[in-house]
Structures are given as structure tokens and as C-alpha cells.
Short mmCIF file of all heavy atoms in Angstrom, two decimals:
data_model
loop_
_atom_site.label_atom_id
_atom_site.label_comp_id
_atom_site.label_asym_id
_atom_site.label_seq_id
_atom_site.Cartn_x
_atom_site.Cartn_y
_atom_site.Cartn_z
N LEU C 1 -4.03 -8.33 -31.80
CA LEU C 1 -2.76 -7.95 -32.50
C LEU C 1 -3.02 -7.91 -34.03
O LEU C 1 -3.55 -8.86 -34.69
CB LEU C 1 -1.66 -8.89 -32.24
CG LEU C 1 -0.30 -8.62 -32.66
CD1 LEU C 1 0.62 -9.38 -31.70
CD2 LEU C 1 -0.06 -9.07 -33.97
N THR C 2 -2.88 -6.68 -34.61
CA THR C 2 -3.33 -6.56 -36.10
C THR C 2 -2.11 -6.30 -37.05
O THR C 2 -1.23 -5.35 -36.66
CB THR C 2 -4.26 -5.39 -36.25
OG1 THR C 2 -4.54 -5.22 -37.58
CG2 THR C 2 -3.86 -4.21 -35.57
N SER C 3 -1.96 -7.14 -37.95
CA SER C 3 -0.89 -6.98 -38.89
C SER C 3 0.46 -6.84 -38.28
O SER C 3 1.28 -6.06 -38.55
CB SER C 3 -1.15 -5.76 -39.88
OG SER C 3 -2.32 -5.99 -40.67
N GLY C 4 0.66 -7.60 -37.13
CA GLY C 4 1.81 -7.48 -36.49
C GLY C 4 1.84 -6.59 -35.39
O GLY C 4 2.81 -6.33 -34.63
N SER C 5 0.72 -5.83 -35.16
CA SER C 5 0.67 -4.82 -34.06
C SER C 5 -0.34 -5.39 -33.03
O SER C 5 -1.44 -5.85 -33.31
CB SER C 5 0.25 -3.51 -34.50
OG SER C 5 -1.08 -3.49 -35.03
N ALA C 6 0.06 -5.25 -31.73
CA ALA C 6 -0.88 -5.73 -30.67
C ALA C 6 -1.38 -4.70 -29.85
O ALA C 6 -0.77 -3.66 -29.61
CB ALA C 6 0.07 -6.70 -29.80
N MET C 7 -2.63 -4.88 -29.34
CA MET C 7 -3.28 -3.99 -28.50
C MET C 7 -3.92 -4.65 -27.35
O MET C 7 -4.41 -5.83 -27.48
CB MET C 7 -4.28 -3.26 -29.27
CG MET C 7 -3.79 -2.59 -30.48
SD MET C 7 -5.08 -1.69 -31.38
CE MET C 7 -5.34 -0.44 -30.22
N VAL C 8 -4.12 -4.02 -26.19
CA VAL C 8 -4.90 -4.53 -25.16
C VAL C 8 -5.94 -3.54 -24.83
O VAL C 8 -5.64 -2.29 -24.37
CB VAL C 8 -4.06 -4.81 -23.81
CG1 VAL C 8 -4.89 -5.06 -22.65
CG2 VAL C 8 -3.05 -5.86 -24.10
N ARG C 9 -7.19 -3.83 -25.04
CA ARG C 9 -8.36 -2.85 -24.76
C ARG C 9 -8.85 -3.11 -23.41
O ARG C 9 -9.50 -2.07 -22.86
CB ARG C 9 -9.38 -3.14 -25.76
CG ARG C 9 -9.13 -2.62 -27.24
CD ARG C 9 -8.97 -1.18 -27.27
NE ARG C 9 -8.70 -0.67 -28.50
CZ ARG C 9 -8.39 0.59 -28.99
NH1 ARG C 9 -8.17 1.35 -27.99
NH2 ARG C 9 -8.14 0.91 -30.14
N THR C 10 -8.58 -4.21 -22.83
CA THR C 10 -9.14 -4.43 -21.42
C THR C 10 -8.14 -4.28 -20.37
O THR C 10 -7.16 -5.05 -20.46
CB THR C 10 -9.77 -5.77 -21.29
OG1 THR C 10 -10.73 -5.92 -22.40
CG2 THR C 10 -10.54 -5.95 -19.98
N SER C 11 -8.10 -3.24 -19.54
CA SER C 11 -7.19 -3.13 -18.54
C SER C 11 -7.45 -3.98 -17.33
O SER C 11 -8.40 -4.65 -17.34
CB SER C 11 -7.17 -1.68 -18.01
OG SER C 11 -8.42 -1.35 -17.36
N ASP C 12 -6.52 -4.00 -16.47
CA ASP C 12 -6.79 -4.75 -15.08
C ASP C 12 -8.10 -4.36 -14.46
O ASP C 12 -8.87 -5.07 -13.91
CB ASP C 12 -5.65 -4.68 -14.20
CG ASP C 12 -4.52 -5.41 -14.70
OD1 ASP C 12 -4.48 -6.16 -15.67
OD2 ASP C 12 -3.31 -5.10 -14.08
N ARG C 13 -8.43 -3.07 -14.47
CA ARG C 13 -9.54 -2.53 -13.98
C ARG C 13 -10.74 -3.07 -14.68
O ARG C 13 -11.72 -3.40 -14.12
CB ARG C 13 -9.68 -1.05 -14.04
CG ARG C 13 -10.92 -0.44 -13.26
CD ARG C 13 -10.92 1.06 -13.45
NE ARG C 13 -11.03 1.50 -14.71
CZ ARG C 13 -10.09 2.10 -15.51
NH1 ARG C 13 -8.88 2.35 -14.96
NH2 ARG C 13 -10.34 2.57 -16.64
N GLY C 14 -10.68 -3.17 -15.99
CA GLY C 14 -11.77 -3.69 -16.84
C GLY C 14 -12.08 -5.18 -16.50
O GLY C 14 -13.16 -5.67 -16.47
N LEU C 15 -10.97 -5.90 -16.28
CA LEU C 15 -11.10 -7.32 -16.05
C LEU C 15 -11.88 -7.40 -14.61
O LEU C 15 -12.72 -8.33 -14.49
CB LEU C 15 -9.83 -8.00 -15.77
CG LEU C 15 -9.04 -8.27 -17.19
CD1 LEU C 15 -7.71 -8.82 -16.84
CD2 LEU C 15 -9.92 -9.18 -18.11
N ALA C 16 -11.59 -6.52 -13.72
CA ALA C 16 -12.28 -6.66 -12.40
C ALA C 16 -13.66 -6.36 -12.54
O ALA C 16 -14.52 -6.89 -11.68
CB ALA C 16 -11.58 -5.67 -11.50
N THR C 17 -14.14 -5.64 -13.45
CA THR C 17 -15.61 -5.33 -13.62
C THR C 17 -16.29 -6.39 -14.39
O THR C 17 -17.59 -6.26 -14.41
CB THR C 17 -15.82 -3.94 -14.15
OG1 THR C 17 -15.25 -3.93 -15.52
CG2 THR C 17 -15.14 -2.91 -13.46
N ALA C 18 -15.61 -7.33 -14.99
CA ALA C 18 -16.30 -8.30 -15.77
C ALA C 18 -17.13 -9.17 -14.89
O ALA C 18 -18.24 -9.71 -15.32
CB ALA C 18 -15.29 -9.19 -16.47
N THR C 19 -16.86 -9.45 -13.69
CA THR C 19 -17.53 -10.25 -12.73
C THR C 19 -17.46 -9.52 -11.36
O THR C 19 -16.45 -9.18 -10.85
CB THR C 19 -17.07 -11.66 -12.63
OG1 THR C 19 -17.01 -12.19 -13.91
CG2 THR C 19 -17.89 -12.54 -11.73
N PRO C 20 -18.60 -9.42 -10.70
CA PRO C 20 -18.52 -8.73 -9.33
C PRO C 20 -17.65 -9.37 -8.40
O PRO C 20 -17.56 -10.69 -8.34
CB PRO C 20 -19.94 -8.82 -8.94
CG PRO C 20 -20.85 -8.98 -10.13
CD PRO C 20 -19.99 -9.76 -11.10
N LEU C 21 -16.82 -8.57 -7.67
CA LEU C 21 -15.90 -9.13 -6.74
C LEU C 21 -16.66 -9.35 -5.40
O LEU C 21 -17.68 -8.79 -5.06
CB LEU C 21 -14.75 -8.38 -6.55
CG LEU C 21 -13.85 -7.97 -7.65
CD1 LEU C 21 -12.75 -7.00 -7.36
CD2 LEU C 21 -13.25 -9.25 -8.22
N THR C 22 -16.15 -10.43 -4.67
CA THR C 22 -16.77 -10.72 -3.30
C THR C 22 -16.46 -9.52 -2.28
O THR C 22 -15.38 -8.94 -2.52
CB THR C 22 -16.20 -12.00 -2.69
OG1 THR C 22 -14.81 -11.78 -2.73
CG2 THR C 22 -16.67 -13.16 -3.61
N PRO C 23 -17.24 -9.31 -1.41
CA PRO C 23 -16.95 -8.25 -0.34
C PRO C 23 -15.67 -8.44 0.33
O PRO C 23 -15.32 -9.58 0.63
CB PRO C 23 -18.16 -8.32 0.47
CG PRO C 23 -19.29 -9.02 -0.25
CD PRO C 23 -18.51 -10.05 -1.18
N LYS C 24 -14.94 -7.47 0.78
CA LYS C 24 -13.75 -7.58 1.43
C LYS C 24 -13.99 -7.73 2.88
O LYS C 24 -13.38 -6.88 3.72
CB LYS C 24 -12.73 -6.54 1.06
CG LYS C 24 -12.33 -6.62 -0.47
CD LYS C 24 -11.26 -5.57 -0.68
CE LYS C 24 -10.70 -5.70 -2.19
NZ LYS C 24 -9.64 -4.70 -2.36
N THR C 25 -14.77 -8.56 3.39
CA THR C 25 -14.90 -8.94 4.73
C THR C 25 -13.85 -9.92 5.05
O THR C 25 -13.36 -10.63 4.22
CB THR C 25 -16.34 -9.39 5.00
OG1 THR C 25 -16.55 -10.60 4.21
CG2 THR C 25 -17.40 -8.29 4.79
N PRO C 26 -13.44 -10.07 6.44
CA PRO C 26 -12.37 -11.06 6.64
C PRO C 26 -12.71 -12.53 6.08
O PRO C 26 -11.83 -13.17 5.65
CB PRO C 26 -12.53 -11.15 8.14
CG PRO C 26 -12.92 -9.80 8.58
CD PRO C 26 -13.96 -9.44 7.61
N GLU C 27 -13.92 -13.05 6.10
CA GLU C 27 -14.32 -14.28 5.57
C GLU C 27 -14.26 -14.26 4.00
O GLU C 27 -14.35 -15.41 3.49
CB GLU C 27 -15.54 -14.93 6.12
CG GLU C 27 -16.86 -14.05 5.63
CD GLU C 27 -17.18 -12.88 6.58
OE1 GLU C 27 -16.20 -12.44 7.26
OE2 GLU C 27 -18.34 -12.41 6.63
N HIS C 28 -14.17 -13.18 3.43
CA HIS C 28 -14.22 -13.11 1.93
C HIS C 28 -13.01 -12.55 1.38
O HIS C 28 -12.94 -12.07 0.28
CB HIS C 28 -15.49 -12.29 1.46
CG HIS C 28 -16.73 -13.00 1.69
ND1 HIS C 28 -17.59 -12.68 2.69
CD2 HIS C 28 -17.40 -14.02 1.01
CE1 HIS C 28 -18.68 -13.46 2.63
NE2 HIS C 28 -18.61 -14.33 1.64
N GLN C 29 -11.92 -12.46 2.12
CA GLN C 29 -10.63 -11.93 1.63
C GLN C 29 -10.17 -12.85 0.52
O GLN C 29 -10.20 -14.00 0.57
CB GLN C 29 -9.63 -11.87 2.77
CG GLN C 29 -9.85 -10.80 3.79
CD GLN C 29 -9.54 -9.39 3.19
OE1 GLN C 29 -8.91 -9.22 2.18
NE2 GLN C 29 -10.15 -8.46 3.78
N PRO C 30 -9.78 -12.22 -0.61
CA PRO C 30 -9.22 -13.16 -1.74
C PRO C 30 -8.00 -13.87 -1.23
O PRO C 30 -7.14 -13.38 -0.58
CB PRO C 30 -8.84 -12.10 -2.84
CG PRO C 30 -8.64 -10.85 -2.19
CD PRO C 30 -9.60 -10.81 -0.95
N ASP C 31 -7.91 -15.18 -1.82
CA ASP C 31 -6.83 -15.94 -1.51
C ASP C 31 -5.66 -15.61 -2.48
O ASP C 31 -5.66 -15.91 -3.59
CB ASP C 31 -7.07 -17.42 -1.60
CG ASP C 31 -5.99 -18.39 -1.33
OD1 ASP C 31 -4.84 -17.86 -1.14
OD2 ASP C 31 -6.23 -19.60 -1.46
N ILE C 32 -4.60 -14.93 -2.03
CA ILE C 32 -3.56 -14.48 -2.96
C ILE C 32 -2.71 -15.55 -3.45
O ILE C 32 -1.95 -15.36 -4.41
CB ILE C 32 -2.58 -13.45 -2.11
CG1 ILE C 32 -1.96 -14.10 -0.97
CG2 ILE C 32 -3.38 -12.20 -1.72
CD1 ILE C 32 -0.93 -13.37 -0.31
N SER C 33 -2.94 -16.82 -2.86
CA SER C 33 -2.20 -17.97 -3.43
C SER C 33 -2.83 -18.47 -4.59
O SER C 33 -2.30 -19.30 -5.34
CB SER C 33 -2.05 -19.06 -2.34
OG SER C 33 -3.38 -19.56 -2.07
N VAL C 34 -4.10 -18.11 -4.92
CA VAL C 34 -4.93 -18.65 -6.13
C VAL C 34 -4.62 -17.54 -7.27
O VAL C 34 -4.85 -16.41 -7.17
CB VAL C 34 -6.27 -18.69 -5.81
CG1 VAL C 34 -7.19 -18.98 -6.90
CG2 VAL C 34 -6.60 -19.65 -4.68
N THR C 35 -4.06 -18.15 -8.35
CA THR C 35 -3.85 -17.21 -9.50
C THR C 35 -4.92 -17.47 -10.52
O THR C 35 -4.97 -16.64 -11.49
CB THR C 35 -2.42 -17.56 -10.16
OG1 THR C 35 -2.55 -18.90 -10.60
CG2 THR C 35 -1.37 -17.45 -9.07
N GLY C 36 -5.64 -18.56 -10.47
CA GLY C 36 -6.63 -18.83 -11.50
C GLY C 36 -6.02 -19.69 -12.63
O GLY C 36 -6.74 -20.40 -13.23
N ILE C 37 -4.73 -19.65 -12.76
CA ILE C 37 -4.14 -20.48 -13.89
C ILE C 37 -4.08 -21.88 -13.75
O ILE C 37 -4.10 -22.70 -14.72
CB ILE C 37 -2.65 -19.80 -14.01
CG1 ILE C 37 -2.13 -20.32 -15.43
CG2 ILE C 37 -1.73 -20.39 -12.95
CD1 ILE C 37 -0.82 -19.69 -15.76
N GLU C 38 -4.28 -22.28 -12.56
CA GLU C 38 -4.37 -23.84 -12.28
C GLU C 38 -5.56 -24.43 -12.81
O GLU C 38 -5.61 -25.68 -13.10
CB GLU C 38 -4.36 -24.11 -10.76
CG GLU C 38 -5.57 -23.63 -10.01
CD GLU C 38 -5.41 -22.11 -9.50
OE1 GLU C 38 -4.58 -21.41 -9.92
OE2 GLU C 38 -6.08 -21.71 -8.53
N HIS C 39 -6.63 -23.61 -13.22
CA HIS C 39 -7.69 -24.12 -13.92
C HIS C 39 -7.78 -23.94 -15.43
O HIS C 39 -8.72 -24.47 -16.09
CB HIS C 39 -9.05 -23.32 -13.40
CG HIS C 39 -9.14 -23.38 -11.96
ND1 HIS C 39 -9.47 -24.47 -11.23
CD2 HIS C 39 -9.01 -22.42 -10.97
CE1 HIS C 39 -9.60 -24.25 -9.93
NE2 HIS C 39 -9.26 -23.03 -9.75
N TYR C 40 -6.69 -23.47 -15.97
CA TYR C 40 -6.81 -22.99 -17.34
C TYR C 40 -6.99 -24.17 -18.30
O TYR C 40 -7.86 -24.07 -19.22
CB TYR C 40 -5.35 -22.21 -17.59
CG TYR C 40 -5.43 -21.39 -19.04
CD1 TYR C 40 -5.77 -20.08 -18.94
CD2 TYR C 40 -5.37 -22.07 -20.24
CE1 TYR C 40 -5.90 -19.27 -20.15
CE2 TYR C 40 -5.55 -21.34 -21.41
CZ TYR C 40 -5.71 -20.07 -21.34
OH TYR C 40 -5.98 -19.27 -22.48
N LYS C 41 -6.07 -25.22 -18.20
CA LYS C 41 -6.11 -26.16 -19.15
C LYS C 41 -7.42 -27.02 -19.16
O LYS C 41 -7.82 -27.78 -20.07
CB LYS C 41 -4.96 -27.15 -18.96
CG LYS C 41 -3.71 -26.45 -19.45
CD LYS C 41 -2.47 -27.37 -19.60
CE LYS C 41 -1.86 -27.79 -18.28
NZ LYS C 41 -0.58 -28.53 -18.41
N SER C 42 -8.20 -26.99 -18.07
CA SER C 42 -9.44 -27.68 -17.95
C SER C 42 -10.60 -26.92 -18.49
O SER C 42 -11.64 -27.43 -18.75
CB SER C 42 -9.70 -28.09 -16.43
OG SER C 42 -9.84 -26.99 -15.70
N ILE C 43 -10.31 -25.64 -18.74
CA ILE C 43 -11.48 -24.74 -19.13
C ILE C 43 -11.27 -24.24 -20.72
O ILE C 43 -12.32 -24.21 -21.37
CB ILE C 43 -11.52 -23.43 -18.29
CG1 ILE C 43 -11.93 -23.96 -16.82
CG2 ILE C 43 -12.53 -22.41 -18.83
CD1 ILE C 43 -11.98 -22.79 -15.82
#
């Protein structure tokens, strides 16, 4: 955010490419109950 103006250069798609995702096999289906935010304050 510059001089009171904010910008987002990384889209949701860009975030997904930051780290390879696990294959979408049944045993690797993402847990939709996990938001990641529960780890925030410890990191």
C-alpha cells in the first residue's frame, strides 16, 4: 500500500504456485477444515 494506496500483486493463483500442491488423490485430498490461520501466531 503506497501513500495510502493499496495493491495486491499476488493473486490466489500465484499463492498456489508458491509451493507445489499435493496430488488430488483420495488420500491427498486437502482438508477444507484447515485454514492455515491456526498456525499464524506461532510462525
Side-chain angles (χ1 to χ4, degrees):
L1 188 153
T2 175
S3 296
S5 63
M7 306 181 67
V8 175
R9 287 296 185 188
T10 306
S11 64
D12 291 347
R13 184 182 67 249
L15 288 176
T17 60
T19 305
L21 298 179
T22 53
K24 291 187 177 180
T25 56
E27 66 272 20
H28 290 101
Q29 287 290 340
D31 182 356
I32 60 174
S33 67
V34 175
T35 65
I37 197 172
E38 63 270 21
H39 305 291
Y40 196 98
K41 290 193 281 188
S42 62
I43 295 175

